[in-house]
Amino acid sequence: MTKTSPLAVVHFQDQTAEMQCEESVLETLLRVGHKVPNSCRVGLCQSCLLKSDESFLKQDHLVRENAQQGLSDQQIQSHHFLSCCCYPEGELFAEKPDRNMDWLVEVTGHELISPTVLELRMKAEGRWQPGQHVLLWKDDLNARSYSIVSHPDRDGELVLHIALHQRGVVSRWCHAEVKVGDRLRLTEPSGYCVYDVQDSDRSLLMVAVGTGLAPVYGVLQEALAQGHSGNIDVYLCASPHAEPYLCEQLLGLAAHHGQLQVNIVQAAPVQAATPPNPASEAQTLMDAVKKHHSSLRGAKVYLCGEGAMINDFKKLCFFAGASRHDIVVEEFVLAAQTNYPSS
Ligand SMILES: Cc1cc2nc3c(=O)[nH]c(=O)nc-3n(C[C@H](O)[C@H](O)[C@H](O)COP(=O)(O)OP(=O)(O)OC[C@H]3O[C@@H](n4cnc5c(N)ncnc54)[C@H](O)[C@@H]3O)c2cc1C
Ligand code: FES
């Protein structure tokens, strides 16, 4: 990753801030007291989006590419960038982004589908693909990403699965305060964790840790709707915030679709107090997978959910023969500590 030169300065809301070595634009702005929304800080959620001007075009090609990963063509052309991934050189002018493309949606369903997982249903006008994620705004500062379970035509509603984090700002608000009839703000769907019809006869391995089942269930239902003929193996794993859920529904689907196998693996301890051991959790899961697959050569792999074991398991899949390009990772990176009050 490109790091900031010590002479870089960022201009934002009539203030000029000198950037410190290895600081992103987001970190500089937070350090000098600006309230910039942010969550994952690794370029996944897009909550830290800002807009620049011609000064952005003067940045090195790699600086721009890194700061605009995953943005739409329209956002790229209008000089939007992710402030958590932007390490400019020289001068950069930044301002708040255009959010006029955000969706206003109406909550149509609010139901616990397990002791810790809320199913939130919304009436939304736009288009999306199951497995993509949206940014859900609690207020002007706090937004989090959630993966989409449903299909716009088959289901007619946008459906999210939200695990409760006891001290979490947005998940706790969704569980405790959001209600049917509320109008919520979402940023347009993005992401590449989707079904590809060109994979229709391939072997699919889908791993869901906790609410990683949201994108997995979305992609799985799309694969079945598209008549996927290859084998599909789904592995449901516990996470400290969500035990495997919807197990009966998945086993019911498997009973009707001969190519589908559903496996439940207790790879991680369910108590949040127990220290996680990602390498051993990933190995437990791989041992379970190896009972059915001696090799993952030619398979397409989806790894979705929260926890470091997702990345450890990705390496094991690679060692088991899966090609790097065929491993789709949707990691639920949690928010870093913010510098402003959460209310
Ligand atoms: C691409 C993507 C897709 C995602 N999809 C989903 C999905 O489909 N479903 C889903 O459930 N999640 C999903 N997530 C995760 C989601 O975006 C949030 O990170 C998650 O809901 C937690 O948000 P929060 O605001 O509740 O917690 P935050 O406020 O962000 O807190 C983060 C963590 O810190 C802990 N914490 C907060 N404050 C304190 C404190 N003072 N002391 C100690 N601990 C504290 C919280 O308990 C929590 O575990 C996704 C993430 C990404 C990046
Ligand atoms: S993309 Fe920058 S905070 Fe998530």
Side-chain angles (χ1 to χ4, degrees):
M1 183 181 288
T2 316
K3 298 293 177 190
T4 307
S5 92
L7 295 175
V9 290
V10 55
H11 303 277
F12 184 71
Q13 293 185 334
D14 299 327
Q15 195 185 350
T16 300
E18 268 187 37
M19 299 188 66
Q20 293 178 355
C21 210
E22 307 212 341
E23 241 182 9
S24 65
V25 169
L26 175 69
E27 287 164 329
T28 302
L29 294 178
L30 292 177
R31 175 172 54 74
V32 301
H34 288 291
K35 294 180 173 181
V36 181
N38 68 90
S39 178
C40 71
R41 299 203 189 174
V42 292
L44 287 174
C45 72
Q46 304 189 357
S47 62
C48 66
L49 191 75
L50 291 180
K51 189 180 173 184
S52 187
D53 58 8
E54 301 295 313
S55 62
F56 190 73
L57 298 179
K58 294 187 184 139
Q59 300 300 322
D60 181 76
H61 166 73
L62 280 177
V63 172
R64 284 185 279 138
E65 198 175 77
N66 197 38
Q68 292 188 315
Q69 53 185 306
L71 299 189
S72 67
D73 290 346
Q74 198 185 350
Q75 287 171 318
I76 289 173
Q77 277 153 25
S78 53
H79 313 317
H80 283 79
F81 66 98
L82 302 175
S83 58
C84 72
C85 297
C86 188
Y87 298 88
E89 288 156 4
E91 228 180 7
L92 184 75
F93 287 82
E95 58 184 278
K96 288 188 175 175
D98 298 337
R99 291 272 183 209
N100 48 11
M101 301 293 279
D102 280 0
W103 296 358
L104 268 185
V105 298
E106 186 185 332
V107 177
T108 49
H110 183 281
E111 188 190 354
L112 278 182
I113 50 172
S114 90
T116 53
V117 179
L118 167 72
E119 183 175 87
L120 195 60
R121 308 183 79 89
M122 284 153 283
K123 199 162 78 188
E125 296 299 332
R127 302 294 300 173
W128 65 85
Q129 292 184 70
Q132 287 192 299
H133 50 261
V134 285
L135 196 55
L136 170 59
W137 292 85
K138 170 178 181 280
D139 48 46
D140 285 343
L141 277 182
N142 295 289
R144 302 285 183 263
S145 297
Y146 293 102
S147 304
I148 309 175
V149 186
S150 56
H151 186 282
D153 300 327
R154 277 197 305 278
D155 304 294
E157 286 177 318
L158 195 139
V159 179
L160 309 177
H161 291 169
I162 301 178
L164 177 65
H165 289 252
Q166 287 300 342
R167 308 184 72 168
V169 174
V170 176
S171 67
R172 217 162 25 120
W173 166 73
C174 288
H175 277 248
E177 291 178 47
V178 169
K179 54 189 187 312
V180 171
D182 283 356
R183 287 175 79 75
L184 304 181
R185 181 157 71 95
L186 301 181
T187 295
E188 279 194 297
S190 60
Y192 306 102
C193 181
V194 295
Y195 180 68
D196 183 346
V197 281
Q198 293 185 358
D199 293 331
S200 65
D201 54 357
R202 292 178 74 180
S203 208
L204 303 184
L205 174 69
M206 299 182 172
V207 171
V209 179
T211 39
L213 182 57
V216 160
Y217 204 27
V219 174
L220 170 65
Q221 291 188 96
E222 180 65 7
L224 295 175
Q226 297 282 350
H228 186 88
S229 58
N231 288 332
I232 310 177
D233 282 86
V234 175
Y235 288 81
L236 305 180
C237 308
S239 89
H241 300 288
E243 286 223 53
Y245 63 101
L246 293 186
C247 300
E248 276 180 29
Q249 286 86 333
L250 280 157
L251 291 168
L253 268 184
H256 287 95
H257 297 272
Q259 74 276 45
L260 173 63
Q261 280 230 358
V262 176
N263 310 274
I264 298 160
V265 180
Q266 191 71 40
V270 176
Q271 275 83 24
T274 315
N277 184 340
S280 122
E281 290 162 22
Q283 191 57 56
T284 305
L285 178 58
M286 183 49 87
D287 291 344
V289 169
K290 286 240 162 121
K291 285 183 189 153
H292 303 283
H293 305 264
S294 53
S295 162
L296 292 181
R297 199 171 301 278
K300 173 105 174 226
V301 182
Y302 291 87
L303 306 177
C304 305
E306 183 192 316
M309 77 92 92
I310 291 278
N311 275 309
D312 282 283
F313 189 71
K314 178 182 177 182
K315 285 183 212 142
L316 296 181
C317 288
F318 177 67
F319 295 140
S323 154
R324 249 180 239 287
H325 305 292
D326 287 333
I327 306 177
V328 180
V329 177
E330 189 75 328
E331 192 186 350
F332 291 4
V333 179
L334 294 183
Q337 198 65 43
T338 46
N339 289 3
Y340 44 78
S342 58
S343 59

